[in-house]
Amino acid sequence: RKDGSEFPAEITGSFITISGRERMLVVLRDITERKRAELELNIYRDHLEDLVKTRTNEIEIINKKLVAEIEKEKEIETMLRDALGKEKELSELKTRFISTASHEFKTPLTTILSSVELIQRYGKNWDESKLDKHISRVQESIEQLTKLIDDVLTISRSENGKMQNNPVVLDLPELCGSFIEEAKPKAGPEHKITLDYKSDDRVVKLDPQLMRFIFVNLLTNAIKYSPEGGRVDFTVDIHEDKFQFIVKDEGIGFSAEDEKHLYEPFYRGENALEYEGTGLGLSIVKRAVEIQNGDIYFKSRLNKGTSVEVIIPR
């Protein structure tokens, strides 16, 4: 730049013909944000690798203690199984992270690149509607990348103890309505989303950011996994000692086997693989509930819908 600062750039070129003469069109694109996203992703990946090393060291220490106490055969078998389970879990987590992140970054970046190149080559000859279509594709892809990065950073902050409960005085029905509005763009005309606020109390004390992590994710899932539409009911009630929230849909549900892995980062259920997603949403939901000393309960049947109840102490 003129001030001497530098920024990463990507250059693309193509030949074009103007008035019968061949010219070279060169475009320089500022990729600062892409590099920033890659850096943050690498930092989180390195964090996972350090975590694997730490856990592996812990396993080695446990194994040494087990050898020293060989007479306790049953205890040795149990602890070895636990140790191997942790190692396998971390290995699977790392594999799922690399696979998911690679796919989730590659797809929108490919969409952005193809749309931008088409706009560069043919945009001057397009009508406004066709140009808007490709600009919308770029915007949607950027939003998808931003969501993935935000989710990864949220998981990282929770693991590092940086996600905390900071309750403030707020209007609860208004807050819940804002969650629905935020999730609505994912809905189609066949969806009907309702808010049933049962309490006379409006002003309460909760952490709006943690609440947003929970209910925007749950409402978005309820819409996304109800491809045929139907009702999505958001029920809120306040009792003497607790807040009660229920999100219920008529979607694809999940199996008992998938229920065991609901909160594992990057885990996707067998019947959810065809839908867009990273498998981070419910992991974030679980952590946000636990930070508030709350509980979460699922009831689901395949192709019959899902009901999620969240209880948060007052």
Side-chain angles (χ1 to χ4, degrees):
R1 296 190 180 91
K2 287 185 178 182
D3 62 2
S5 62
E6 299 181 354
F7 64 92
E10 179 179 87
I11 298 176
T12 57
S14 60
F15 289 102
I16 60 174
T17 302
I18 300 177
S19 301
R21 298 183 65 186
E22 194 173 57
R23 303 295 180 94
M24 183 69 172
L25 174 64
V26 179
V27 177
L28 183 142
R29 183 183 300 109
D30 184 339
I31 57 171
T32 300
E33 286 303 311
R34 187 200 303 176
K35 290 296 183 182
R36 182 185 63 79
E38 290 174 356
L39 178 60
E40 291 179 350
L41 188 62
N42 286 335
I43 290 172
Y44 186 70
R45 183 179 58 204
D46 292 341
H47 169 69
L48 283 181
E49 290 176 351
D50 291 340
L51 188 59
V52 171
K53 291 178 181 178
T54 300
R55 293 290 175 85
T56 302
N57 290 335
E58 291 174 357
I59 291 168
E60 290 176 355
I61 293 171
I62 291 172
N63 285 340
K64 289 178 181 178
K65 290 181 179 180
L66 290 174
V67 171
E69 300 174 2
I70 193 68
E71 68 281 1
K72 299 179 181 179
E73 184 176 343
K74 289 184 179 181
E75 183 180 353
I76 291 173
E77 291 177 358
T78 302
M79 294 182 72
L80 279 174
R81 280 198 297 268
D82 290 345
L84 291 172
K86 288 180 181 179
E87 187 175 18
K88 182 180 179 182
E89 178 185 337
L90 288 168
S91 177
E92 290 175 352
L93 175 60
K94 182 178 178 181
T95 300
R96 288 203 301 266
F97 170 75
I98 293 172
S99 174
T100 303
S102 298
H103 177 266
E104 292 298 323
F105 269 98
K106 185 176 180 180
T107 301
L109 286 174
T110 301
T111 301
I112 291 170
L113 183 60
S114 64
S115 291
V116 170
E117 287 179 345
L118 287 171
I119 291 172
Q120 288 172 345
R121 290 193 179 196
Y122 309 111
K124 293 181 179 179
N125 300 322
W126 286 348
D127 58 34
E128 189 173 345
S129 63
K130 192 168 185 180
L131 187 61
D132 286 344
K133 176 183 176 183
H134 283 277
I135 291 174
S136 295
R137 289 180 64 197
V138 172
Q139 290 172 332
E140 290 170 2
S141 296
I142 291 172
E143 288 174 3
Q144 186 177 343
L145 287 172
T146 302
K147 175 69 165 58
L148 173 58
I149 293 168
D150 286 344
D151 286 349
V152 170
L153 291 176
T154 299
I155 291 290
S156 179
R157 284 197 299 270
S158 69
E159 288 183 348
N160 293 329
K162 294 181 180 179
M163 186 188 289
Q164 297 179 348
N165 184 19
N166 298 305
V168 298
V169 175
L170 50 80
D171 186 310
L172 187 55
E174 181 179 316
L175 183 68
C176 293
S178 72
F179 299 151
I180 291 177
E181 290 304 313
E182 191 169 344
K184 263 186 180 179
K186 301 292 184 182
E190 66 278 8
H191 288 100
K192 182 179 180 181
I193 308 172
T194 65
L195 172 61
D196 182 10
Y197 194 85
K198 294 181 175 295
S199 175
D200 294 329
D201 295 337
R202 293 183 64 95
V203 179
V204 301
K205 200 170 184 181
L206 286 165
D207 185 318
Q209 185 62 34
L210 292 177
M211 297 294 286
R212 177 181 173 274
F213 284 149
I214 297 168
F215 294 107
V216 172
N217 269 304
L218 292 181
L219 288 166
T220 301
N221 281 353
I223 294 168
K224 178 169 62 176
Y225 296 123
S226 304
E228 303 300 324
R231 292 177 61 91
V232 175
D233 296 322
F234 186 18
T235 304
V236 182
D237 200 359
I238 302 178
H239 304 275
E240 183 178 345
D241 60 343
K242 66 185 179 182
F243 299 98
Q244 181 186 38
F245 305 88
I246 299 175
V247 177
K248 186 177 181 181
D249 65 61
E250 300 174 336
I252 62 173
F254 53 81
S255 67
E257 179 60 30
D258 285 332
E259 186 173 0
K260 302 174 186 176
H261 307 283
L262 278 182
Y263 306 117
E264 294 179 13
F266 307 106
Y267 181 83
R268 305 292 310 282
E270 286 294 328
N271 61 339
L273 295 177
E274 62 183 274
Y275 299 92
E276 176 187 303
T278 61
L280 287 173
L282 289 183
S283 180
I284 293 172
V285 167
K286 178 69 170 175
R287 292 165 196 241
V289 170
E290 289 176 341
I291 288 171
Q292 299 179 91
N293 297 316
D295 294 294
I296 183 168
Y297 308 96
F298 277 86
K299 292 180 182 178
S300 185
R301 292 174 59 195
L302 282 174
N303 301 314
K304 297 293 184 180
T306 300
S307 176
V308 190
E309 180 182 16
V310 176
I311 301 295
I312 296 176
R314 291 191 73 173

